[in-house]
Amino acid sequence: MTKLARKLHERFLKQIHFKSDKYSTQDSVYLFTLYLAIAMVTVSCITNYIIGLADQVKILAFISDLILVFLYYLARFRQQFRLSKILFFILATVALNILWFYTEGSAGSAIFILHAMLPLIALFSSKRQSTTMVIIIATNIITLLIFEILYPQFINHYPSPVERALDILTISFFFLVFEIPAIIYINHLMLEEKRQAEQSDAAKTSYITNLSHEIRTPMNAILGFTELLSDPDLNREEHEQFLSIINQNGRQLLNLLNNIINISKLETNVTNVSVSEFHPIDVLKQVHDTMIPYFQANEEVQLKVTPVNGTPIAVKSDPTLIQQIILNLTFNAVKFTNNGVIEIGYSTNNQSITFFVKDTGIGIPPEMHNDIFSRHKQVESHNGLSPIQGSGLGLAICKGMTELLDGEIWFTSIVNEGSEFFVRIPLVSKK
Ligand code: ADP
């Protein structure tokens, strides 16, 4: 029995724990408030029915419950948090005013409800919203108080002091049951938010350290080999080899700096999508021309642009972004392939074009499959090379850009055999 109770309790907690990547802390508090409000009003609907209160009261409670369920639906399933919060505030204010007249004004239960509701409203609204709400409520209460002093005849009195005490006691009891879990939940959310902020701070610091390392390595190579070039005893072959190393490291550095700019543009939503009609083979040719120096430096690996099957087609999308994606994927293929072939190409159907970048490299172990598209993720080496290989930005950029083009990116990979990345883009962009 206790096992069953614990299980039910855990289920309940899981069900009402709204905090996820989808919701901000404020929105989670709001959903929790609604959840408890619905529970509370439903209980009072049943109680009203059992103790046989006046029909008016029963209907009012029932309508409030329906409205609360609707507000919950709006927020949770339609993501209309702003509208739902405003409607909730209006409903709470109207209920407060009715209660004020119905239950002896400032001597009744309305003022208790106000004290319980205000902190929650402030916690689930933005700073501006809660300031506006507090001003409206304060003005409303002052008006009600003045009205009560000037026109006491409009205020309904409890039949007896005992009924007044009972009403206030019931309301207070409800709010105790209602507010204590809310405060515990809010406390838990705040602590979780603080912990996440600390974690993300630490991740950013280590990320910056890694990036500096990524910049320093090619920089050192460029400076070191430039110095060596000034040696008058160098033969022609050595001279060319050093120049090629400088060139490669310069490109690597440029690629990294481009990636840093690209990721910050994606993160701040300022990446422009500029749609035009183009032939996909031209994109592949550009990638080929950009990458060819890497293949000249390593003759063990070949770059193959797969001949296009069928008639050449025109695609309406952003050629620059697609080129960046394929370039990043090809750059990775080069990095992780020691010998064999790297093949780039595409296939099409009526609606979409799927680019692929295939390599015969070291492959990606299954335990890394879920992680490799995450940004700011410094991936540990799985190839026996230095522990810091790359900035961990390339694939995150590919994913961000593919999504901007309403496309999909995925891969298949077998360790020690190779990987194949696919990017599917609609033939005609909706943007
Ligand atoms: P990085 O700049 O570190 O390469 P990416 O986001 O481009 O960052 O790639 C993330 C990780 O995914 C890499 O560190 C590597 O471990 C793995 N990876 C990506 N592409 C390949 C590939 N073609 N072959 C093997 N591993 C790959």
Side-chain angles (χ1 to χ4, degrees), residues 311-336:
T311 44
I313 49 144
V315 180
K316 254 190 172 171
S317 189
D318 187 325
T320 319
L321 289 187
I322 294 180
Q323 192 177 316
Q324 294 258 9
I325 299 168
I326 310 297
L327 202 61
N328 267 337
L329 295 178
T330 317
F331 196 72
N332 273 351
V334 172
K335 244 175 21 188
F336 299 107

Side-chain angles (χ1 to χ4, degrees), residues 332 335-336 359 363-364 368 372 379 382 389-392 394-395 419:
N332 273 351
K335 244 175 21 188
F336 299 107
D359 66 54
I364 303 165
M368 277 177 58
I372 64 169
V379 181
H382 60 278
Q389 270 288 306
S391 56
L395 289 179
S419 315

